[in-house]
Amino acid sequence: MKNRILYLCILISVYKKSDSVNPKETYKHSWQYITLKRIFDGYVKQEPPPPSERPTDVFIGINVNSFYSISEQSMDYSVILYLRQQWLEPRLKFPSPDGIFHQMKLPDDYGKALWVPDIFFRNEKHASYHDVTVPNRLLRINSNGSVWYTIKISATLSCPMNLQSYPLDIQRCPMMFESFGYTKSTMDLKWLDNAVDIDKDLELPQFKLLTAKQADCSQNYTAGEVYW
């Protein structure tokens, strides 16, 4: 009996670059490049948005993509979601080229130079960002200075469970957000309209999702007031 051999061929196409056009030089003369250079000239990412006499309102929301684990043994659940944030950053205002409302997606190098809220999951056990095939995040600024920031996250969060009615139990699992270092006088967390969005085709292992509610659970700590 003859052996069958499979050959995998990868075809690589190459072309000769034209000496007459340099994309990098062309971009340096574009409206977006010039506008971003002006906006970030002297910008300090360590400083929260002005004015300093009132807090920056940061609106947050989530889009739940999937639940991939709910564990009674470890009392936690694992979820893939998009964390959405919006706030006003007066230092990022820019004139629109056509005189009307304009949006601009920030390149990655400028995104790293921007102040962003230091939000984390208070009841997190472990979490990670998604970077395949590119970092799964979007930073968009508007001509009025508002910022829209979306990032995809996988997280395992603690969920204290009462199992007295097991296996016909109902569990309430929290997802708690908190500022890591800012107090209420600097940053105020609020919910977006339609803050909780859940994939209509979402299925849970062994459970049925009944409802999702959001609330303000601010607390005072020794170091200041924080949120979740």
Side-chain angles (χ1 to χ4, degrees):
M1 180 178 179
K2 295 183 179 180
N3 292 327
R4 301 178 65 188
I5 301 176
L6 174 65
Y7 290 95
L8 178 63
C9 298
I10 300 177
L11 301 179
I12 301 177
S13 299
V14 297
Y15 67 96
K16 184 178 180 180
K17 292 184 177 180
S18 171
D19 296 332
S20 60
V21 178
N22 187 326
K24 291 184 178 181
E25 288 299 323
T26 301
Y27 176 67
K28 286 184 179 180
H29 293 87
S30 68
W31 171 84
Q32 178 173 327
Y33 179 85
I34 295 172
T35 301
L36 289 175
K37 289 289 287 184
R38 181 187 61 81
I39 289 175
F40 283 92
D41 183 25
Y43 185 94
V44 181
K45 68 173 293 185
Q46 289 77 19
E47 297 179 0
S52 58
E53 60 268 15
R54 64 176 179 81
T56 297
D57 291 333
V58 178
F59 296 88
I60 63 174
I62 59 171
N63 179 287
V64 179
N65 185 260
S66 69
F67 286 84
Y68 59 92
S69 174
I70 301 177
S71 174
E72 294 89 351
Q73 289 77 20
S74 55
M75 292 198 176
D76 57 33
Y77 68 101
S78 298
V79 62
I80 298 176
L81 59 85
Y82 295 91
L83 176 60
R84 304 173 295 180
Q85 304 172 59
Q86 186 177 35
W87 66 95
L88 186 64
E89 171 57 284
R91 294 175 292 181
L92 300 182
K93 287 184 179 180
F94 60 89
S96 176
D98 50 14
I100 61 176
F101 184 79
H102 190 81
Q103 297 179 339
M104 187 190 314
K105 180 181 180 296
L106 283 186
D108 289 340
D109 52 344
Y110 281 101
K112 296 176 182 178
L114 181 68
W115 180 90
V116 295
D118 61 345
I119 294 173
F120 72 102
F121 295 99
R122 176 175 171 81
N123 59 325
E124 171 204 328
K125 288 189 173 181
H126 56 82
S128 61
Y129 296 127
H130 289 241
D131 293 310
V132 179
T133 58
V134 296
N136 293 185
R137 64 191 68 191
L138 170 68
L139 259 172
R140 189 175 64 210
I141 62 174
N142 302 316
S143 52
N144 64 354
S146 64
V147 183
W148 180 261
Y149 181 33
T150 303
I151 188 165
K152 189 176 183 180
I153 299 172
S154 289
T156 298
L157 308 174
S158 64
C159 176
M161 299 182 183
N162 185 335
L163 301 175
Q164 290 181 343
S165 300
Y166 182 87
L168 301 177
D169 51 317
I170 297 176
Q171 304 298 338
R172 295 174 177 83
C173 292
M175 181 180 295
M176 300 183 286
F177 298 99
E178 183 176 325
S179 167
F180 190 80
Y182 293 117
T183 63
K184 191 174 181 180
S185 62
T186 303
M187 191 177 81
D188 197 3
L189 295 184
K190 298 183 178 181
W191 292 108
L192 285 167
D193 294 335
N194 302 317
V196 180
D197 186 22
I198 300 175
D199 192 309
K200 63 180 181 179
D201 297 322
L202 183 144
E203 294 184 1
L204 283 70
Q206 301 179 6
F207 282 89
K208 179 181 179 180
L209 181 62
L210 297 179
T211 187
K213 298 180 180 180
Q214 60 263 24
D216 181 352
C217 301
S218 304
Q219 281 194 352
N220 285 319
Y221 286 81
T222 304
E225 189 173 27
V226 296
Y227 311 82
W228 68 69

